[in-house]
Amino acid sequence: MPQRADAGKVLGAVDGLRGELVRAVSEAVQIESVNPKYPGQVYEEVVGGEGEVARYISRVYEDLGCEVDLFAIEAGRDNCVGVWKGSGGGRSLIFNGHIDVVPPGDPANWQSGSPWSGKIDEDRIWGRGSTDMKGGVLAQAFAAHAIRRAGFRLRGDLILEAVVGEEVMDHECGTTATIRRGYTADAGVVSEPSAPPHPLAVVPITPGLFWFSVTVRGKPTHASMRAQLIRAGGEGERVGVNAIDKGLFVMNAVRQLEEEWGQSKRHELFPPGHFTIHPGVVIGGPKEVLVPFVVSEYMTIEYACWYHPEEDPEAVRQEVEQHIRRAAELDPWLRKHPPEVEWKLNWPASVVPPDHPICEAVSTAHEQAAEGTRFAGRPPVQGFAAVEDTAFLNAGGVPAISYGPGDIRVAHGDDEYVLIDELLTATKTYALLAMDWCGYE
C-alpha cells in the first residue's frame, strides 16, 4: 500500500475534487443514455445517448492526460477508453463501468423530479443512472485525477473504460469489444454498486442468469362453457381447455422448484435462498383479441432464473425442463400438449476466488480509504445480487471483481440516487488501489 503520508495527500486531493466529481455525475445523469436495444424501445428514436455520455467522459479522461479511444461497433453507441500510461515496471489495471441505462418508467412516479434531473441534494445525487452506474464510472476517473493532483504517477498502465450495452448483455458492443480491441490488464475492477446487503463491499462472484419462457396452449371455446371445463361430469377438453388454468398449474410447479432451490442451492457469499426463478411477465388469453369472453388459447410466462455460480448452465437448463415435464405428466391435457420452453439468454456467472490478489488489494485500499467514515473497517466480501460485465472481462482473460457506490435496490426503480459519501469513499478506494496495484512514483 502507499505510504501513509502519500496516501494522505491523495485522500486530501479526492476531498478537494468533491465538487467537481459531484457536478460531473450530475451532468452525466442529465444525458439520456437509455440502451436502444432495451425491450420496448424504438432503436432509431433512442440511439445516440450512450455516445453523448462517452464523449462527455472522454473530456474527463483527456484532462487527465490519457490516450483516449472513442469507438463504436454500432453508430452512436461509442465506448470510451482512456489509457493513463504508466512509467513502467508496474502491474496494469482496468477500471470498467457501463454508461447505458434502463428506461426511467413513468416520470410521474418520480417524487424527486425528472428522471434526468441530476438534482444534487445535501447527501445524494438523483436520477436514472446515478447509482447504475455513472457515479461509479466517474469515481474511477476522478480517482486517477486525485493521484495526479497529489503529484504522483503510476508505474503500471491504468485503463479507464466507459462502455455501452451492459443492460441487455450486449457485451460484444461494449466490454468484449474493448478486449478485442486489445485492452487487457493484470486485473480489473468494475464499479457496479455493491449493495445489497452491504455498501462498498468486495464482490468477487455473481450468479448466472437465464431468461426463458414457458408457453402453454389451450383450446378456445365460448367463455360460458367454463363449467363444462372445470366441474365434475362436464365434457372437459372435448369442449375446450383454458390455457390460463393450465399455465397457472405450470407456474405453481416451477414455484415448487424454486422453493426446493431455497433449501438445496446455497453459497457462503450469498444470502440463503438467493437463487430464484422469478416469473416476471405473464401474457395470456385468446389470440389476437384479449377479451374474457373466449376461453384462453395460450399463456406465456417469462422467467428470470438466477442460478448458482458453480453450476453447469446446461445442468440447470435440464433440471428446469425435467421438472416442467414431470409436472405436465400429472395433467391429462398437458401430458398430450406439453409446455413449450424457450431459452432466450444466458448471462454466465462470474467467479474469482476470494483470496485472489485483486480482492485483497481492494480490501486493503478500502480499509485505509474509509477510516473515520461509516464504512470504516475491513469491507465485507459478498456475492453480487445480479449479473455484470465482470463475466466478460474474466472470459477475456482479465481477473475482474466489482466494488462500487450505490445500491441495486434503487437501480431500475423510481427515484434512483447515489449517496455522495459512498461516492467519495469509493473514489478514495480506487485511488489507493491503483497506487498499490500499479505502483507509483
Side-chain angles (χ1 to χ4, degrees), residues 33 35 50 53-54 57 61 78-80 95-102 128-138 140 161-168 170 174-175 189-193 347 384 387-390 408 411-412 416:
S33 57
N35 189 308
E50 294 161 306
V53 178
I57 291 175
Y61 293 172
D78 300 83
N79 299 290
C80 183
F95 281 162
N96 170 286
H98 68 85
I99 52 176
D100 60 318
V101 302
V102 302
R128 174 61 82 234
S130 53
T131 211
D132 187 20
M133 54 182 287
K134 294 172 183 176
V137 171
L138 284 159
Q140 292 175 326
E161 297 180 350
V163 302
V164 304
E166 192 270 354
E167 292 292 0
V168 296
D170 192 12
T175 290
V189 177
V190 174
S191 54
E192 284 281 3
W347 192 314
F384 190 53
V387 286
E388 55 176 323
D389 272 348
T390 52
I408 288 292
H412 296 205
E416 181 179 345

Side-chain angles (χ1 to χ4, degrees), residues 18 123 200 373-375 418-426:
R18 181 188 191 277
D123 66 340
L200 297 180
T373 74
R374 66 186 178 97
F375 311 108
V418 64
L419 293 172
I420 293 171
D421 65 342
E422 278 190 47
L423 195 66
L424 287 172
T425 301

